[in-house]
Amino acid sequence: MLNKLDHIALILDGNKRWAKKNNFNNSIGYKKGFDNIRNIVNYSLSKKITYLTIFALSSENYNRSSVNLIYEIIYDNFSKTFTDLIKEKGVKVNIFGSRINIPKKILDIFENIELNSLNNKNLILNIAFNYGFKDEVKYVLNKVLINKNKSITENQKKIKELFYLGSQPDPDILIRTGGFKRLSNFIMYNLTYTELFFTETYWPDFSEEEYNSIIDKYYKINRKYGL
């Protein structure tokens, strides 16, 4: 019997290294990576995946000079890419992470996409932007303190709902592109029993074929829980 596959998480790593390898500037690397998000979302829809969670920008990377370049790519491409997905493909977009110090023009784009996709159900696309798990823990602890309700921590379901992904099922698969074999402070509460796959492929070159190959490998795993 095949493993159930509802939720795939992706760490999108290697845009700048792809650009350097191919003698392009970083802008082209990020643009190519951005375009590949649309490709993988479309392929996930064809595979009947219900939830897709992608790590787009770490809070640890937020202060790098390249963040302004990322903002430019978002401003020029985000609305067009995701408007097509939400209007034509029924994708619901959920963006999580800190929104402190993010430019208003970027926040307006995020909020507009989330609002316009609110009732879509074909695929839930979670985008972690300016996100770090340690920051999420602070966010959860603040919610507990504000609620002042002891029972909120006595029920596993209620605890889960405190985190950004809420009641969504935990990812069945995590795929990290770019060669590094680490989780990099990404949704660690939700990865307790997730099957981990690491690939040397840089994100802009990550193809539907490789994606499908990983899914096939997942289906062959004899999943166990515990040691």
Side-chain angles (χ1 to χ4, degrees):
M1 185 176 183
L2 291 178
N3 294 318
K4 188 177 182 182
L5 181 55
D6 290 323
H7 192 168
I8 295 176
L10 286 154
I11 298 177
L12 318 181
D13 195 14
N15 293 314
K16 290 199 297 184
R17 284 176 288 151
W18 177 89
K20 183 177 180 180
K21 174 186 173 183
N22 291 283
N23 297 313
F24 293 128
N25 60 39
N26 288 341
S27 177
I28 293 177
Y30 283 119
K31 175 64 168 58
K32 177 73 172 175
F34 196 89
D35 290 342
N36 205 30
I37 293 174
R38 176 168 48 197
N39 296 338
I40 295 302
V41 171
N42 279 319
Y43 192 66
S44 298
L45 282 161
S46 76
K47 301 292 287 187
K48 307 299 182 185
I49 304 300
T50 307
Y51 303 92
L52 188 65
T53 299
I54 63 175
F55 201 1
L57 179 67
S58 164
S59 56
E60 282 89 352
N61 293 344
Y62 182 77
N63 292 320
R64 292 183 181 178
S65 58
S66 57
V67 74
N68 289 323
L69 184 56
I70 293 170
Y71 286 151
E72 289 179 19
I73 300 296
I74 291 172
Y75 190 72
D76 292 339
N77 298 277
F78 197 97
S79 293
K80 175 63 170 66
T81 296
F82 290 98
T83 296
D84 289 349
L85 288 172
I86 66 177
K87 286 188 175 180
E88 297 176 12
K89 303 297 177 66
V91 172
K92 179 178 179 179
V93 178
N94 169 46
I95 302 168
F96 64 92
S98 175
R99 300 198 177 187
I100 297 173
N101 296 325
I102 294 178
K104 185 179 184 301
K105 67 178 185 179
I106 302 300
L107 289 178
D108 288 344
I109 291 171
F110 287 174
E111 290 167 5
N112 184 59
I113 290 294
E114 287 182 310
L115 180 63
N116 288 331
S117 68
L118 190 61
N119 296 316
N120 290 351
K121 297 178 181 178
N122 288 347
L123 181 146
I124 310 301
L125 175 62
N126 303 300
I127 303 174
F129 189 88
N130 193 21
Y131 168 86
F133 178 68
K134 291 180 180 178
D135 292 330
E136 184 177 12
V137 170
K138 294 177 188 176
Y139 164 81
V140 169
L141 290 175
N142 283 331
K143 286 177 75 173
V144 172
L145 290 172
I146 290 170
N147 276 280
K148 295 180 180 179
N149 181 355
K150 185 180 178 182
S151 67
I152 204 169
T153 60
E154 295 176 348
N155 181 295
Q156 188 65 37
K157 183 173 180 291
K158 288 183 178 179
I159 293 173
K160 183 177 175 64
E161 289 173 351
L162 292 169
F163 288 82
Y164 285 129
L165 293 182
S167 60
Q168 295 181 28
D170 291 340
D172 303 292
I173 296 174
L174 169 75
I175 302 168
R176 179 173 184 146
T177 63
F180 295 122
K181 297 180 180 180
R182 55 177 181 252
L183 298 179
S184 294
N185 202 17
F186 182 48
I187 58 169
M188 293 175 70
Y189 179 84
N190 303 93
L191 298 178
T192 311
Y193 284 105
T194 300
E195 304 294 340
L196 308 179
F197 294 87
F198 301 97
T199 173
E200 297 292 324
T201 306
Y202 296 143
W203 171 247
D205 280 337
F206 186 71
S207 65
E208 294 176 2
E209 290 76 16
E210 186 170 7
Y211 191 36
N212 194 58
S213 175
I214 290 172
I215 290 172
D216 286 344
K217 290 176 183 176
Y218 166 77
Y219 281 135
K220 295 173 184 177
I221 293 172
N222 181 17
R223 299 194 78 189
K224 297 180 180 179
Y225 299 89
L227 293 176

